[in-house]
Amino acid sequence: MHLSVWHQLRYRYDQPVVLNPHTVYLYPRTYPYQRLQHYDLQIDPVPSKVVRNVDVEGNVQQIIYFAGPTDHLTITTETTVDSEPFNSLDFVLFPFDTQHVPFEYASDLQPLLAQYLVRDSITQAVEVWARQIAGDVSWQTVPFLLALSDTIRQFVYVVREEGAPLPPEQTLRDRCGSCRDYTTLYMAACRSLGLAARFVSGYLFGSAQQQHQLHAWAEVYLPGAGWRGFDPTENTVVVNKHIFLASSAHAELTAPVSGTFTGRANSTLEADVKIKGSGEC
C-alpha cells in the first residue's frame, strides 16, 4: 500500500519578528515493513540553512536557521511511503516469565530502557486502575495491553489542537481526552507495571477522526518482540496504516515544530493534513 501525506503548518505574526532556530520532527522513521519513497520539505521564508540529523532517541531531526525579519512562517511537507501488511502480534515473549506482568527486564536492557520506565507521572489512582485491568486478564502481558487499550477507547474523545498532554490521572478521572492524552495515560499504566513505554507522533490513514491532523499512540518494549505499537484512541495494535514521525520517553519532545522568535508580536497557527492511500491494504 502507498500512503501519501501532505502536511502544512502556517504561522502568522501581527508584526515582523526574527525567527530563532526551529526544530522540526516531520521526517518519517523507517520500519521493517514501511519504506520511505519520497519526501519534500518546503519552507517560507527560505531558510539560510537546514541541518538534518539523528537525535538521541533515533528520530530524524531537522534544524532550520533563518536570516532577516518576517511576518509569517509556512512549513509544508509531502511524504510517500510504501507500507506492507504485517501481523503486529506475531511474536513470542521470551524469556517466558515476561508473559505475565509485572516483570523486570534483563539486566543488560535495564540501563537502555530506564528513561522509558520513569514513574514521575504515575499516581496511586493510575496504578490501582492498571492493576485492576491486569487482574481481569490473569496478569497476562499481551491481554493486559489489549484490555488497557479497549478500556481507554471507551472514554469520550475530545479534539485539542494545542497544548501538552494532560496529566494521566486527570484523563483517567474525567474519562475524556485527545489522542495524546490517551497515549500518555496508556504509557503511565504500562510503566506502573514495569513495562517500558514511549510516546509516538505520526499520521493515521483510514480514520475519519484522525485523518486531518497529527496522531499519537504508544509503543511498548516487549522482550522477544521489541517495540510494538498500541493505539488506545483507535483501540487497535499498530499496523501498516500508521506512519511514524518521532518517538520519545517524553511527549513534548515529539512536537512537529518547536522554536522561538525575537520580537513583541502575537502569533497564530493553522495546520492542515491530507492523507491518501492506494494499493492493497
Side-chain angles (χ1 to χ4, degrees):
M1 176 173 62
H2 301 286
L3 296 176
S4 298
V5 182
W6 179 86
H7 188 180
Q8 186 173 84
L9 299 102
R10 299 179 297 277
Y11 297 86
R12 296 285 186 269
Y13 310 98
D14 60 7
Q15 57 182 296
V17 301
V18 175
L19 298 172
N20 297 320
H22 280 51
T23 301
V24 174
Y25 284 109
L26 290 172
Y27 191 99
R29 296 182 63 165
T30 298
Y31 277 68
Y33 56 88
Q34 200 165 75
R35 297 174 300 280
L36 180 63
Q37 296 299 320
H38 170 76
Y39 180 80
D40 182 63
L41 172 68
Q42 298 292 328
I43 303 166
D44 179 25
V46 176
S48 59
K49 191 176 186 62
V50 177
V51 177
R52 185 176 294 170
N53 53 40
V54 178
D55 74 5
V56 70
E57 293 187 82
N59 304 299
V60 176
Q61 177 190 76
Q62 299 178 96
I63 304 177
I64 308 171
Y65 297 86
F66 300 92
T70 182
D71 63 0
H72 69 280
L73 170 61
T74 302
I75 298 174
T76 307
T77 60
E78 294 184 9
T79 302
T80 302
V81 299
D82 280 345
S83 195
E84 300 173 355
F86 81 109
N87 182 355
S88 188
L89 296 178
D90 184 20
F91 57 80
V92 176
L93 291 176
F94 184 82
F96 295 126
D97 59 6
T98 62
Q99 295 184 24
H100 291 82
V101 290
F103 64 77
E104 290 190 359
Y105 292 96
S107 58
D108 59 336
L109 292 178
Q110 290 181 17
L112 303 175
L113 295 174
Q115 65 177 330
Y116 305 107
L117 289 162
V118 172
R119 298 175 56 92
D120 55 3
S121 63
I122 301 171
T123 62
Q124 182 179 7
V126 170
E127 183 163 359
V128 168
W129 174 71
R131 287 181 171 272
Q132 289 174 341
I133 295 172
D136 289 341
V137 293
S138 303
W139 301 89
Q140 298 177 80
T141 302
V142 175
F144 163 70
L145 294 170
L146 297 175
L148 178 60
S149 182
D150 181 63
T151 302
I152 295 175
R153 182 64 176 86
Q154 298 173 43
F155 294 178
V156 177
Y157 186 80
V158 176
V159 176
R160 289 199 311 117
E161 295 184 354
E162 298 182 19
L166 299 174
E169 183 170 335
Q170 181 177 342
T171 302
L172 175 62
R173 182 188 66 240
D174 296 344
R175 294 295 199 273
C176 68
S178 67
C179 59
R180 60 190 180 281
D181 303 321
Y182 289 178
T183 297
T184 303
L185 174 59
Y186 191 96
M187 291 166 55
C190 288
R191 292 181 182 184
S192 76
L193 295 182
L195 291 168
R198 66 187 185 185
F199 187 98
V200 183
S201 173
Y203 308 108
L204 173 61
F205 171 69
S207 167
Q209 179 172 266
Q210 304 297 335
Q211 192 137 325
H212 299 290
Q213 58 190 340
L214 276 173
H215 189 43
W217 59 93
E219 284 187 330
V220 180
Y221 191 85
L222 300 172
W227 290 106
R228 296 282 167 152
F230 297 85
D231 186 342
T233 305
E234 298 292 314
N235 189 23
T236 182
V237 293
V238 170
V239 289
N240 65 324
K241 294 184 179 181
H242 291 73
I243 300 176
F244 304 71
L245 291 178
S247 63
S248 177
H250 308 284
E252 62 271 19
L253 297 182
T254 68
V257 179
S258 59
T260 60
F261 60 81
T262 301
R264 296 182 177 276
N266 296 311
S267 63
T268 59
L269 168 63
E270 295 179 347
D272 289 309
V273 175
K274 298 177 182 177
I275 308 174
K276 296 181 179 179
S278 62
E280 295 295 327
C281 294

